[in-house]
Amino acid sequence: MNSLTIGKLKLDGNLVLAPMSGITNLPSRLLCRKHGASLVYSEMTSSEAVVRQSLKSIERGFTCAGERPMGIQLMGAVPDNLAASAIFLQEKYRPELIDVNFGCPAQGVIKNGCGSGLLKKPELIGEIIRTLSDSLDIPLTAKIRILENFDETLKIAKIIEKAGADAITVHGRTQKQGYSGKSDLDFIKGIKSGLSIPVIANGDIFDEKTSQKVLEYTGCDGIMIGRAAIGNPFIFKKISYFLKTGEILPPREAGERLADFFEYTELCRNYGMHTYNDLKRNAQWFTKGMENVKQVRVNINKAHDIDSIMAIMNGLKDCV
Ligand SMILES: Cc1cc2nc3c(=O)[nH]c(=O)nc-3n(C[C@H](O)[C@H](O)[C@H](O)COP(=O)(O)O)c2cc1C
């Protein structure tokens, strides 16, 4: 497995956990790091909210020694506010990286001219990256979606490179596609060929074979994994093992997946992030695909408090 270097940051591999809003909190990132993710990103946080000193937004950057290296992802459209929030978070949490979101397709985000809404404004993208790279001591990355036209997508990627970003992640879908259709590997491959900075390929990497295919086909320096890691941090171990040895590890046993879930809940408790909604969603995710758990999953769905969910999951320990 190759290692990835982003500016002055040398990683021990090239598997990256995607930023996912409502999912990649500190406990889930810690589990992914433990199982072999070389770099993890926080959920996106709004630069405007950080500038307003919103505690909830600031705390999305909260980290600890065990998860490093980590990057904080910012979403915003005003260069000076992005820079002010990045400097603030750099000082407060000392992340290894700052990333800028140019990919989010959510209506609420593009309505404010942020996320993938910025792809229509290449000059502003350049200004954002230039302002941030001039302001920060740590490496800067950007995450984009593609446009329908390849040349326009490459133009944006080149603007990002020229303005001083140290790496770029490309999700091979357009804003309009959302999560439908397929991530376009030809676009990603073309962008990789046209740039000198590292390019990280993203979209539809679900297992060992898709990882290998994307790395070989696009020639990218790294891959970023999102949905396949939800409730399944072990995916990083499986993929890194396969890329090193060519062998596929057996699927994680139900008991081991439950152990991962309880480790997650323990971390949530330790970091004051133990909430009913998050626990319920994670109980569903960590039991997804297990055999003979249909009724258990129905029960999780009906459970009204943390204790009931924990009782259901503890009961499952005896059955697997
Ligand atoms: C629930 C969810 C939340 C997401 N939140 C973010 C986010 O905060 N920032 C971002 O850049 N991308 C976000 N994404 C997009 C992912 O980072 C990634 O680009 C996308 O899921 C494609 O990769 P995958 O096929 O490996 O899932 C999110 C995706 C999902 C499914």
Side-chain angles (χ1 to χ4, degrees):
M1 198 171 69
N2 294 327
S3 62
L4 175 61
T5 300
I6 302 177
K8 61 185 176 187
L9 178 67
K10 286 189 179 28
L11 303 175
D12 62 5
N14 60 358
L15 307 183
V16 180
L17 173 68
M20 286 185 285
S21 208
I23 295 167
T24 52
N25 58 5
L26 175 61
S28 74
R29 300 195 305 263
L30 278 166
L31 281 182
C32 289
R33 281 284 293 137
K34 175 181 160 182
H35 288 295
S38 309
L39 172 67
V40 293
Y41 281 105
S42 72
E43 307 167 62
M44 68 177 173
T45 196
S46 152
S47 55
E48 299 301 317
V50 173
V51 166
R52 280 198 314 274
Q53 290 290 297
S54 149
L55 203 57
K56 194 172 160 208
S57 299
I58 291 170
E59 285 181 346
R60 292 216 176 94
F62 182 70
T63 177
C64 67
E67 81 155 331
R68 293 179 179 282
M70 67 85 72
I72 297 180
Q73 190 189 57
L74 287 172
M75 181 265 296
V78 181
D80 286 345
N81 287 351
L82 275 156
S85 60
I87 292 167
F88 175 82
L89 292 167
Q90 177 186 253
E91 295 305 310
K92 187 166 175 70
Y93 295 121
R94 299 259 154 227
E96 277 68 29
L97 286 175
I98 293 284
D99 182 75
V100 192
N101 181 322
F102 297 118
C104 182
Q107 280 305 318
V109 171
I110 54 181
K111 184 179 87 211
N112 292 326
C114 302
S116 61
L118 281 160
L119 297 173
K120 281 190 291 197
K121 298 180 182 167
E123 277 179 23
L124 183 52
I125 289 184
E127 199 188 329
I128 287 171
I129 295 295
R130 170 61 56 211
T131 311
L132 277 164
S133 70
D134 286 350
S135 312
L136 293 171
D137 307 328
I138 51 177
L140 175 68
T141 59
K143 182 164 177 280
I144 64 168
R145 277 185 179 244
I146 60 170
L147 296 164
E148 273 165 28
N149 178 291
F150 174 74
D151 291 337
E152 282 174 32
T153 315
L154 182 61
K155 185 177 145 198
I156 287 180
K158 284 189 166 172
I159 287 173
I160 288 172
E161 173 174 78
K162 195 160 167 239
D166 296 292
I168 184 168
T169 302
V170 185
H171 177 192
R173 286 192 176 81
T174 63
Q175 175 196 87
K176 206 163 111 196
Q177 275 181 297
Y179 291 90
S180 66
K182 283 192 187 146
S183 179
D184 192 318
L185 294 185
D186 290 313
F187 270 54
I188 299 176
K189 180 180 179 170
I191 291 167
K192 166 61 195 166
S193 311
L195 299 191
S196 307
I197 54 171
V199 178
I200 300 165
N202 172 236
D204 303 341
I205 298 169
F206 289 114
D207 54 18
E208 292 91 335
K209 293 285 159 93
T210 44
S211 302
Q212 186 179 47
K213 181 181 164 197
V214 171
L215 281 167
E216 285 180 3
Y217 187 78
T218 65
C220 277
D221 306 274
I223 49 175
M224 176 182 273
I225 296 158
R227 289 166 295 173
I230 299 176
N232 184 24
F234 190 67
I235 186 153
F236 287 101
K237 179 78 49 73
K238 289 201 89 200
I239 291 173
S240 60
Y241 189 79
F242 177 73
L243 294 176
K244 268 184 218 139
T245 66
E247 285 169 29
I248 296 201
L249 288 172
R252 197 128 171 97
E253 306 254 342
E256 293 169 317
R257 293 190 64 192
L258 269 184
D260 292 339
F261 170 79
F262 285 109
E263 191 174 345
Y264 175 79
T265 60
E266 189 61 26
L267 287 165
C268 286
R269 223 176 273 118
N270 291 347
Y271 289 107
M273 295 176 178
H274 201 50
T275 67
Y276 163 72
N277 283 334
D278 184 67
L279 187 65
K280 186 168 177 176
R281 291 181 331 141
N282 275 282
Q284 294 287 9
W285 291 330
F286 277 89
T287 52
K288 194 172 164 200
M290 277 186 198
E291 281 176 19
N292 306 321
V293 291
K294 200 169 164 203
Q295 188 56 44
V296 169
R297 286 164 61 80
V298 169
N299 294 345
I300 294 168
N301 212 26
K302 284 191 201 150
H304 289 301
D305 53 43
I306 289 181
D307 288 348
S308 315
I309 298 168
M310 291 305 280
I312 295 167
M313 296 300 279
N314 273 311
L316 195 53
K317 271 190 200 162
D318 305 326
C319 318
V320 296

